[in-house]
Amino acid sequence: MNKTGIIFFPAFDWSLGEFHPEREERLLYTQEQIFEEGIMDLPQVKQYSPGVADLFDVLRTQAIFPDLQQHNLDAHLIAVGSSLVLGNALMKKEITNGFALVRPPGHHSGATVWGNRGFCTLNNEAILINVLRAKYGIKKIAVIDTDVHHGDGTQDIFYHDPNVFYISIHQDGRTIFPGTGFTEEKGGPNAWGSVLNIPLLPGVGDEGFLYALENWIMPAVEAFKPDLIINSAGQDNHFTDPLASMNVTARGYGKITEMIKPDLAVLEGGYAIEGALPYINMAIFLALAGEDYSGVVESQKPQNTEIGGDTIRSFLTDLKRTNEAVRPSWAFRKEPFLPTGDWVYSEKSIYYDTDGFKENRREYIRKCRHCGGTVLMISQKPSAFQKAVLVRIPFEACPDCEQAGYDLAETFQKSEKTVLLQNQRRDQVHFWTDGREVNPFGG
Amino acid sequence: MASLIGIDVGGTFTDAVMITNGVIERKGKIPTNQDDILNTLISALDYLQISEAKNIEMITVSTTLVTNAILQKRLPEVKLILFPGTGMKLSSLPWPVDYSVLTGVLDYRGRVVVPADQSEWQTLAEKLNKQSIKPLTAIVSKFSHRNNVFEEQLAAYLHREAPGIITALGSQSGQANFYRRSLTTYLNLAATELFQNFAYQLKMAVEARGCRAPIRVLKADGGVLPLAKIRPVESIYSGPAASVLGTLAQSNPEESYVVVDIGGTTTDIGLVLSGSPLISTHGAQIGPFLTNVRSLAVRSVSIGGDSAVCLEQGEVMLADYRLGPAYCIGGISPTPTDALRYLNLTDYGDLQRAEEALGLLLPENQRTASALRRTAQIIVGKMVEKIARAIEQLLEEWKTEPAYKVWEVIHHHDDFKFYIQLSGGGAPGLEAALENRMRLRTVLTEFSEVSNAIGASMAKPTFSWTLHLDTKFSIYRIEETGEQGIWTGPKKPHREVEDFLKELAQKQAVGFGIETDDLEKEIFDYFPLVENYHTVGQIVKGAMHVPPGVIGRIRS
């Protein structure tokens, strides 16, 4: 029996709109199910009350552009804050594991944030992970993202971070939002291999999922030797999910949880409000608490043909071979504003589907043999003619990279309206508007 | 002039008061006879020497009858029949009683997923018919608060096939939590006969004294209901509720404070936020039974003025039991009351004997005045520490209550300026020490020694109507009464649903003898039910309460 913590925060008064799949009814039936079952009365279970995250904790991990006042963050800060409550309880050894059953979700929210994408504004897991590192000195964390959608936001945040191993198993991005998460995406120049993407064929069910976990994901996690494992627990691989095409069952999710043994699970997506969520959440919860979940049976039966057997096994074997064959290829760039060192350059365009606009971003990463390397992101929201800059000095930064970060911040605060410096090494956040340092928290 | 009578049966003493127009006319304490609650109550009534019985408007009692019967395992056995459906295994939770299981599955909206199996019912009826005494039978199905079809059909079947059977249904207390609902239904059925006998005899005894006043019973949630309307199980733990209400009747109606009521064997602690007693988010627990009985958020600490003080490896310890009264009033064991007396913090009991009591805790050659004093201070300190920790725990529990809406979290803990409102036997002696330890202003309740009886006499009736409406299925349910009915209103109701609930509450309140002037409305939640981008209905959740409170204030 595990001492399991739970926070149930359904945000019943927060909604993106009546017809939106991420709506307030999403956790209504889960509440009916868990309250009726009496799981809060299990002797090993402790229910925690939701918390509100600190804006500092947000800005340590994500750059909120153009400033915090432009966003209504209340519900998001509670979803993050609730994850932090469980993180703190875990660190204080009050619990052996925990499940933050919260909405809104977070894993599509990346290093720079101009709005809501994929129903996410703040990244619950990423902020949690960096709090655990900053506050408790945790070194290595593995994130296993079992949402049907690629967790592009979490990948984005940790792409250059060798100490966070981000693993996502999801439906192939060519068939589903957000269209990323291919096996070639393996991490930045200083963190090659710290990202593992397993895009699955539509139709995969319990068998294929568990096969991938057993033969690929869990051995990779063991080799990484993380201090903590976090599960981005999306529930949309279920056979009834309206936005995806997978065939996983509630008991399959129970088994997945049993195999991953996450220290903390944080709810992500899952839009089969009636058919899947109440059952999967129960199964995950019971698996975390070390209870028998075999009695959790959906009222509907799977209808679609499942991709399993040899098809999925050989598919995964091929995918693994492809993954191992990928070699890094970096584009280096010299710019007048870049401090000394070799800077790898890339650019990306991020579409905010909920709000309907684009962000364009240029990224420079200082190639470094000693640390994760300082990162510079020059981000633009063309539709609003807005531009902003993020400079990130990573955890355990070497002195050269830290100096490079300070130099970049100094250069850009003169030329750009909005500049955020995240010094993760010293646990500091600085924000400049029009060349003047401001207190981003509005105080 | 009309008078109110309040009687609170406590662990050591039973308090009684008669109040006329907010003034205490008579008050007193008699020893409780735990083996005969009925006669204790009647003696308390007699103690008040009611001369003009016809002037008595109301008699309210808070009784430990059901609490004791449950804790002492004196209730008859009940056959518990469950339809657990799918989900968590029954064996995951500790069941303090035996149960049997039948086939049938409902889902969270009350839809039948797997129908019941009537051949099992036949076997059950045959078994029941073979027994010489038909057992009391509680029938509970998972999600019966959403649809009681299995429960009602089985009950009807058993009444037909096993005549003479007495049944109770889980849906009659229609709140979520199958486990707690099952145990509550079990306990309530088990306690029904005992309570009905008690109610009948109490009524007879009152009438024999020429009094026709209605008798009401205090509930764990601090409200009262007429003797004939209360569910027996709801009378558990009404003592702490009486403490909180007693304080409420003697303090400023706007303030926020911690109620600390020090009794002989237990100290009750409760919380009042801006004049409203805090209700627990979980149901009451009694012995090994978790119930869904609504109760005030209170803590009972097993420490009181009469707690035995003993030596353990040379160290003074407070026991969580009592060995009779304090030494200074003729008991056999030293107690905190003796320590308080010796320190001259109270004038209750004989000073000489208090000194002797403390002496018992020291070797003969060390019984100096300063050593006795130090021992007394240690005892008081330990008592205060135990109470202080319980206060801190209750405050912490309040701060960490679950919340399910953004609004609730953001507005969760507006600053309350707490102070401590102290009552009970040993209260005067502990005031300074508690104030010092908690760093909170501590105030003595005026009629401290009969505070609980005052609480009982002045308590208002309470009731809640929690509505769950599914307009897709056109079904509404009321949690507290278990009522399930057809909704004929629109698919997307708004104000209609609030009016509907209000009307229903007002109508039902009449039957309970409750006034609905201060019916409180909770914010209603509306969940759109969308299928294929069309709204097909709504689930509406909302509640109206007659909150706990008192009908007036005591004038000194």
Side-chain angles (χ1 to χ4, degrees):
Chain A
M1 249 179 7
N2 299 320
K3 186 121 182 84
T4 298
I6 182 168
I7 286 191
F8 181 66
F9 182 69
F12 280 152
D13 54 349
W14 179 81
S15 152
L16 290 165
E18 183 165 320
F19 295 103
H20 207 285
E22 207 314 297
R23 61 177 186 267
E24 61 270 42
E25 183 202 1
R26 245 185 94 217
L27 291 182
L28 179 63
Y29 307 124
T30 294
Q31 183 185 50
E32 296 278 320
Q33 191 81 37
I34 63 178
F35 281 20
E36 176 65 356
E37 299 277 8
I39 61 168
M40 310 293 191
D41 288 329
L42 284 170
Q44 73 269 39
V45 166
K46 181 161 185 214
Q47 185 181 7
Y48 286 83
S49 93
V52 185
D54 202 313
L55 292 170
F56 180 84
D57 286 335
V58 172
L59 291 181
R60 178 199 289 121
T61 297
Q62 297 188 278
I64 312 295
F65 289 145
D67 58 54
L68 289 162
Q69 283 71 41
Q70 305 289 317
H71 305 262
N72 183 356
L73 294 176
D74 285 351
H76 304 278
L77 285 171
I78 299 169
V80 174
S82 301
S83 314
L84 298 182
V85 167
L86 285 187
N88 287 325
L90 181 77
M91 289 298 118
K92 287 185 197 144
K93 297 198 167 27
E94 288 171 18
I95 52 174
T96 38
N97 60 28
F99 190 7
L101 251 170
V102 297
R103 60 186 281 273
H107 75 152
H108 295 304
S109 166
T112 53
V113 177
W114 290 92
N116 185 304
R117 48 189 308 276
F119 325 144
C120 309
T121 302
L122 300 180
N123 193 310
N124 302 329
E125 291 91 343
I127 294 168
L128 166 68
I129 286 167
N130 282 349
V131 167
L132 296 177
R133 298 162 92 189
K135 198 166 153 189
Y136 299 101
I138 302 286
K139 288 269 181 300
K140 294 171 79 179
I141 295 181
V143 185
I144 306 178
D145 190 327
T146 49
D147 192 283
V148 79
H149 305 98
H150 176 231
D152 56 345
T154 315
Q155 171 172 310
D156 182 45
I157 290 168
F158 296 117
Y159 206 67
H160 306 296
D161 199 323
N163 293 317
V164 177
F165 186 15
Y166 177 74
I167 303 154
S168 180
I169 176 164
H170 48 262
Q171 187 177 324
D172 192 313
R174 284 167 297 195
T175 62
I176 198 168
F177 179 88
T180 52
F182 299 101
T183 203
E184 296 78 12
E185 299 160 30
K186 291 183 68 168
N190 307 316
W192 182 252
S194 78
V195 169
L196 170 60
N197 280 309
I198 304 179
L200 294 176
L201 299 163
V204 172
D206 294 358
E207 188 196 351
F209 227 87
L210 292 166
Y211 180 85
L213 268 171
E214 198 177 338
N215 294 289
W216 192 352
I217 296 177
M218 292 326 289
V221 170
E222 271 155 40
F224 177 68
K225 293 190 177 55
D227 301 317
L228 271 186
I229 297 176
I230 306 235
N231 179 205
S232 283
Q235 330 250 282
D236 28 17
N237 285 292
H238 194 259
F239 61 83
T240 59
D241 197 89
L243 304 187
S245 325
M246 306 303 262
N247 278 316
V248 177
T249 66
R251 278 175 291 180
Y253 267 99
K255 185 86 194 147
I256 290 167
T257 310
E258 211 169 61
M259 229 182 230
I260 294 176
K261 288 188 187 52
D263 295 287
L264 294 172
V266 180
L267 180 71
E268 283 297 339
Y271 306 97
I273 292 170
E274 290 219 42
L277 279 161
Y279 302 104
I280 296 176
N281 285 325
M282 269 300 289
I284 292 183
F285 190 82
L286 291 173
L288 286 173
E291 293 290 338
D292 185 345
Y293 53 82
S294 65
V296 180
V297 183
E298 298 90 336
S299 52
Q300 281 166 272
K301 302 272 166 287
Q303 304 283 330
N304 307 330
T305 329
E306 187 181 325
I307 304 282
D310 286 340
T311 315
I312 185 67
R313 278 195 292 275
S314 69
F315 171 82
L316 282 167
T317 310
D318 288 350
L319 190 71
K320 195 171 181 187
R321 210 171 290 140
T322 314
N323 175 276
E324 279 159 6
V326 180
R327 293 285 168 263
S329 68
W330 311 122
F332 290 89
R333 229 195 232 201
K334 289 193 192 308
E335 305 274 11
F337 53 76
L338 290 173
T340 57
D342 295 331
W343 292 83
V344 171
Y345 175 78
S346 69
E347 47 189 55
K348 70 201 276 189
S349 175
I350 303 156
Y351 182 64
Y352 287 73
D353 60 312
T354 312
D355 297 330
F357 66 86
K358 249 186 183 175
E359 172 192 357
N360 292 328
R361 200 208 271 167
R362 288 179 289 147
E363 280 183 28
Y364 300 87
I365 303 97
R366 188 173 192 273
K367 199 155 186 310
C368 184
R369 257 182 278 176
H370 311 290
C371 71
T374 282
V375 177
L376 165 69
M377 294 185 186
I378 302 169
S379 165
Q380 270 180 303
K381 181 184 175 186
S383 59
F385 306 103
Q386 282 172 322
K387 190 174 163 199
V389 172
L390 166 68
V391 178
R392 186 205 292 146
I393 297 168
F395 286 97
E396 286 116 36
C398 68
D400 288 348
C401 279
E402 187 173 23
Q403 190 54 52
Y406 284 131
D407 292 347
L408 285 170
E410 201 183 325
T411 307
F412 281 98
Q413 59 178 277
K414 283 180 203 138
S415 60
E416 298 298 335
K417 185 174 168 58
T418 306
V419 180
L420 178 74
L421 171 66
Q422 293 168 338
N423 188 342
Q424 295 175 334
R425 175 183 147 86
R426 295 189 192 275
D427 206 20
Q428 291 168 351
V429 168
H430 297 279
F431 201 87
W432 290 272
T433 300
D434 296 320
R436 274 190 314 128
E437 181 160 3
V438 293
N439 178 354
F441 316 115
Chain B
M1 266 190 300
S3 306
L4 303 170
I5 284 181
I7 302 173
D8 171 69
V9 181
T12 315
F13 287 106
T14 292
D15 302 353
V17 288
M18 181 156 75
I19 297 170
T20 310
N21 286 336
V23 176
I24 298 179
E25 267 192 77
R26 267 195 285 281
K27 61 180 161 93
K29 272 175 140 39
I30 62 158
T32 301
N33 180 357
Q34 289 292 1
D35 297 326
D36 193 350
I37 300 290
L38 182 71
N39 270 313
T40 306
L41 276 168
I42 294 167
S43 309
L45 268 174
D46 291 343
Y47 181 91
L48 293 173
Q49 299 170 334
I50 307 160
S51 48
E52 296 278 332
K54 64 177 186 314
N55 285 347
I56 304 299
E57 187 186 322
M58 191 88 74
I59 298 172
T60 309
V61 299
S62 135
T63 165
T64 50
L65 179 82
V66 175
T67 309
N68 288 350
I70 295 170
L71 294 178
Q72 294 163 8
K73 304 195 176 92
R74 286 193 283 104
L75 290 177
E77 210 179 302
V78 168
K79 189 163 177 52
L80 180 58
I81 297 169
L82 302 177
F83 290 91
T86 53
M88 188 164 74
K89 292 283 157 81
L90 284 178
S91 55
S92 296
L93 283 161
W95 289 78
V97 290
D98 292 335
Y99 54 79
S100 44
V101 169
L102 294 179
T103 305
V105 181
L106 294 171
D107 78 355
Y108 45 82
R109 277 173 80 187
R111 289 172 289 210
V112 177
V113 179
V114 177
D117 178 357
Q118 299 250 349
S119 68
E120 292 175 349
W121 297 12
Q122 199 185 334
T123 318
L124 178 69
E126 281 163 13
K127 223 186 273 171
L128 291 174
N129 277 327
K130 273 192 206 132
Q131 287 172 322
S132 52
I133 305 165
K134 302 246 161 59
L136 302 167
T137 305
I139 306 167
V140 189
S141 94
K142 197 177 278 177
F143 293 113
S144 65
H145 64 306
R146 295 285 165 256
N147 185 356
N148 58 12
V149 56
F150 293 161
E151 291 179 1
E152 291 216 314
Q153 286 179 354
L154 176 61
Y157 180 90
L158 291 180
H159 283 294
R160 202 167 59 234
E161 301 296 322
I165 197 166
I166 296 176
T167 54
L169 308 185
S171 52
Q172 285 159 353
S173 102
Q175 295 172 51
N177 199 328
F178 172 62
Y179 174 64
R180 285 177 184 254
R181 194 165 68 243
S182 300
L183 296 179
T184 309
T185 309
Y186 180 102
L187 288 180
N188 196 53
L189 182 59
T192 298
E193 200 189 338
L194 173 80
F195 193 82
Q196 278 171 351
N197 283 338
F198 162 81
Y200 177 76
Q201 292 177 44
L202 180 61
K203 200 161 164 274
M204 288 299 120
V206 168
E207 282 179 9
R209 281 151 184 81
C211 182
R212 302 217 161 266
I215 305 172
R216 308 182 311 177
V217 180
L218 191 66
K219 300 184 293 175
D221 73 351
V224 287
L225 280 181
L227 199 54
K229 295 282 183 192
I230 188 171
R231 289 193 180 121
V233 72
E234 289 176 329
S235 73
I236 58 170
Y237 294 137
S238 53
S243 309
V244 173
L245 289 160
T247 309
L248 218 55
Q250 298 172 73
S251 58
N252 185 323
E254 307 297 319
E255 288 178 327
S256 304
Y257 46 85
V258 183
V259 175
V260 178
D261 181 31
I262 300 166
T265 33
T266 53
T267 293
D268 294 331
I269 296 162
L271 212 52
V272 174
L273 308 172
S274 302
S276 304
L278 180 68
I279 304 268
S280 170
T281 42
H282 311 284
Q285 176 174 1
I286 178 157
F289 293 89
L290 299 184
T291 73
N292 58 14
V293 171
R294 202 172 140 90
S295 77
L296 297 187
V298 285
R299 277 251 176 287
S300 267
V301 194
S302 41
I303 183 95
D306 292 351
S307 296
V309 178
C310 47
L311 283 173
E312 254 174 51
Q313 292 161 343
E315 203 187 330
V316 173
M317 301 294 273
L318 301 182
D320 56 5
Y321 51 81
R322 160 181 194 270
L323 298 169
Y327 198 88
C328 63
I329 54 163
I332 51 157
S333 162
T335 64
T337 301
D338 298 304
L340 292 168
R341 181 69 193 94
Y342 181 75
L343 294 171
N344 265 324
L345 290 167
T346 56
D347 54 10
Y348 177 66
D350 182 65
L351 181 61
Q352 192 60 42
R353 276 193 63 91
E355 184 175 337
E356 271 175 57
L358 292 166
L360 295 175
L361 299 165
L362 292 168
E364 235 167 291
N365 57 351
Q366 286 174 30
R367 290 174 190 166
T368 61
S370 68
L372 288 172
R373 206 179 157 71
R374 200 167 49 243
T375 306
Q377 280 163 343
I378 289 172
I379 294 169
V380 173
K382 289 209 165 169
M383 187 171 180
V384 166
E385 188 56 33
K386 217 167 165 181
I387 293 169
R389 289 219 180 125
I391 295 174
E392 285 162 353
Q393 230 179 50
L394 186 63
L395 285 170
E396 180 62 25
E397 193 180 295
W398 163 66
K399 278 186 206 151
T400 57
E401 265 179 64
Y404 306 112
K405 294 183 211 171
V406 175
W407 189 91
E408 288 172 347
V409 178
I410 305 275
H411 297 87
H412 206 29
H413 294 294
D414 300 325
D415 282 336
F416 286 99
K417 279 206 173 12
F418 286 109
Y419 68 97
I420 295 174
Q421 187 84 45
L422 188 60
S423 59
L430 290 174
E431 189 185 353
L434 194 59
E435 178 163 295
N436 210 11
R437 165 65 175 78
M438 290 301 299
R439 298 182 186 285
L440 287 179
R441 184 165 65 91
T442 302
V443 175
L444 273 186
T445 310
E446 192 173 356
F447 298 101
S448 185
E449 72 290 0
V450 287
S451 202
N452 286 13
I454 294 173
S457 69
M458 308 279 278
K460 282 197 323 187
T462 54
F463 211 82
S464 293
W465 290 266
T466 306
L467 174 80
H468 181 98
L469 167 63
D470 189 326
T471 68
K472 168 88 192 295
F473 296 151
S474 302
I475 292 173
Y476 77 87
R477 292 137 187 142
I478 306 293
E479 281 188 359
E480 290 78 4
T481 60
E483 184 180 331
Q484 309 195 352
I486 306 291
W487 169 258
T488 51
K491 286 275 178 214
K492 280 179 74 179
H494 189 56
R495 277 219 65 86
E496 300 95 321
V497 70
E498 294 184 14
D499 292 343
F500 169 78
L501 185 59
K502 195 171 176 189
E503 218 169 279
L504 188 133
Q506 280 167 339
K507 208 159 41 186
Q508 294 188 344
V510 177
F512 284 104
I514 301 174
E515 297 205 4
T516 48
D517 297 344
D518 53 354
L519 202 58
E520 260 181 19
K521 193 192 91 179
E522 249 178 44
I523 296 171
F524 279 54
D525 292 329
Y526 297 83
F527 297 94
L529 301 173
V530 183
E531 279 172 17
N532 304 321
Y533 296 93
H534 293 290
T535 303
V536 293
Q538 272 184 339
I539 287 178
V540 185
K541 281 177 159 183
M544 307 242 176
H545 311 278
V546 180
V550 285
I551 48 179
R553 306 277 149 183
I554 292 294
R555 291 185 285 145
S556 26

